[in-house]
Amino acid sequence: MSATTAQAVLSLLGDADRVALQEICGDRIRFNEPLAPYTSWKIGGPADAFATVETQSQLADLLRFCLRRRMPWWIIGAGSNVLVGDGGVRGIVMRLAGEFAAAHVRAEDHRVIVVAGGSADMALVTAKAASAGANGIGSLAGIPGTVGGSLRMNAGTDREIGEFVREVWVQSPSRPEPHPASVRYLYRQSTLARDVVVSRVVLEFARSSAGDVRSEMQTRLVRRKKTQPIALPNAGSCFRNPPEDKAARLIEAAGAKGWREGNAEVSSLHANFINNLGGATAKDVATLLARVRRAVRDRWNVELKLEVHLVGVFIDAT
Ligand SMILES: Cc1cc2nc3c(=O)[nH]c(=O)nc-3n(C[C@H](O)[C@H](O)[C@H](O)COP(=O)(O)OP(=O)(O)OC[C@H]3O[C@@H](n4cnc5c(N)ncnc54)[C@H](O)[C@@H]3O)c2cc1C
């Protein structure tokens, strides 16, 4: 290991930090915790500290600590759109749970209101909202993320979550108590500030027949199963679609389906997905991403942009 790599994987935490974190988080803090189990790709080295945060006041305390100690931090949702480096993540990785996982749905005369915590599971939210007749919720069905991650990514299909957002509540190191934020939504991204955690979201849908909404959702879920390798570890589409085209079409036409690096493979079902065939490293995936991007550039003169977020330290894992 080179001196630079050794430096990059060195924990930023001192003994006093560990004690302070244990005081704030109790047994919900783990040190040197591998992140692979927390990502849909099942890839990623250790976090210096991994905190499971269950209440808004715990989150506020942890964010205050980060500000005071100038400690880097990062929030992970369901980990379904991230590639975490084999060298792991320095500082604190936070994951919301407890009260943040709740989702309440109420039907009013002509609309359906969803109030969800930042780590509410999209599967739970979409199922509950569909049962109340939330028109348009089918567009968000089958997205394996949390509400907070989906908001940051403006996740969706033909319609995106941003279209339905009425309120977003966030917490940050400089303003740790929950407060409303104003956010704009763009294709697979939002203007949500980098240093905020989404703690609560209110969504609003027009109301229609619950039966119709549920059956539309079912049709979409069946189609998804046929067109995406959902049984294998991956992170969905790796690249954003370029204007007026589909990344999957360009990748397939560049002949990349089935390409392999180590134990990572370009899916032969959906060319914009990269599957972990078992034991793939972040380096395998990153190398494959670079190969695919180069092939599409050479063949089509199109520069693909990553949809997945790369996080942490990328090193040679071997
Ligand atoms: C099989 C499969 C199918 C998919 N299909 C789709 C699809 O149809 N459409 C689509 O848009 N996406 C799709 N995705 C990608 C992914 O599911 C979405 O982007 C999802 O919304 C990410 O949510 P997450 O909770 O997993 O976020 P993560 O992957 O954990 O994080 C993504 C980003 O959001 C940030 N983040 C997470 N939680 C919070 C929070 N509470 N506050 C602030 N920032 C936060 C993270 O720091 C990171 O930068 C698919 C993925 C898979 C594996």
Side-chain angles (χ1 to χ4, degrees):
M1 191 185 281
S2 72
T4 322
T5 307
Q7 183 71 31
V9 297
L10 209 60
S11 174
L12 296 181
L13 304 180
D15 289 345
D17 295 320
R18 291 195 179 84
V19 170
L21 285 169
Q22 268 159 341
E23 273 165 15
I24 297 170
C25 303
D27 59 5
R28 290 166 285 98
I29 190 89
R30 293 179 183 197
F31 300 108
N32 212 25
E33 174 78 351
L35 292 174
Y38 302 100
T39 73
S40 59
W41 243 323
K42 305 296 169 216
I43 290 174
D48 291 345
F50 185 83
T52 302
V53 186
E54 296 187 332
T55 65
Q56 293 183 340
S57 72
Q58 281 167 9
L59 178 59
D61 287 345
L62 198 52
L63 291 167
R64 279 189 200 98
F65 169 85
C66 293
L67 182 70
R68 199 165 59 242
R69 291 285 300 120
R70 297 192 180 177
M71 185 63 72
W73 61 275
W74 178 62
I75 174 94
I76 189 166
S80 65
N81 210 43
V82 290
L83 179 61
V84 176
D86 300 311
V89 178
R90 300 293 69 79
I92 301 171
V93 174
M94 303 177 190
R95 185 184 58 154
L96 305 181
E99 69 179 35
F100 295 106
H104 302 284
V105 175
R106 68 172 191 273
E108 296 179 351
D109 277 355
H110 300 293
R111 49 189 202 157
V112 173
I113 306 292
V114 177
V115 181
S119 70
D121 184 357
M122 285 298 286
L124 173 78
V125 168
T126 51
K128 279 190 164 185
S131 296
N135 191 305
I137 195 73
S139 305
L140 308 180
I143 297 175
T146 61
V147 164
S150 298
L151 199 107
R152 181 171 294 283
M153 301 305 304
N154 191 20
T157 49
D158 51 331
R159 298 172 79 180
E160 296 157 331
I161 193 168
E163 191 187 327
F164 306 107
V165 173
R166 202 170 77 176
E167 285 171 38
V168 181
W169 289 73
V170 298
Q171 298 179 238
S172 69
S174 54
R175 249 182 112 183
E177 299 304 331
H179 57 279
S182 148
V183 184
R184 280 189 308 116
Y185 301 93
L186 314 162
Y187 170 57
R188 292 300 171 271
Q189 56 186 319
S190 65
T191 60
L192 196 67
R194 282 178 73 92
D195 70 335
V196 303
V197 174
V198 173
S199 56
R200 192 163 67 96
V201 174
V202 181
L203 305 172
E204 177 177 333
F205 300 84
R207 187 174 173 201
S208 55
S209 140
D212 290 352
V213 172
R214 272 202 305 259
S215 89
E216 188 220 338
M217 189 157 119
Q218 201 48 36
T219 309
R220 285 173 180 261
L221 288 171
V222 169
R223 194 188 321 142
R224 201 179 261 273
K225 268 193 188 154
K226 283 195 188 136
T227 55
Q228 297 181 357
I230 50 177
L232 286 168
N234 59 57
S237 290
C238 294
F239 295 101
R240 297 178 197 174
N241 288 326
E244 316 297 328
D245 212 333
K246 296 267 183 225
R249 187 191 77 78
L250 298 173
I251 297 167
E252 181 170 353
K257 268 190 169 178
W259 279 3
R260 263 183 87 158
E261 284 291 334
N263 287 319
E265 183 181 66
V266 177
S267 164
S268 38
L269 191 58
H270 190 309
N272 201 9
F273 281 46
I274 289 182
N275 294 323
N276 176 357
L277 302 178
T281 61
K283 190 184 175 215
D284 293 338
V285 175
T287 310
L288 202 46
L289 288 170
R291 241 179 103 187
V292 166
R293 189 185 242 165
R294 210 164 37 239
V296 168
R297 186 196 306 131
D298 291 350
R299 175 77 173 79
W300 303 106
N301 201 23
V302 172
E303 197 65 49
L304 289 179
K305 294 202 173 96
L306 277 182
E307 178 177 324
V308 292
H309 289 185
L310 305 191
V311 184
V313 179
F314 282 73
I315 54 164
D316 196 336
T318 53

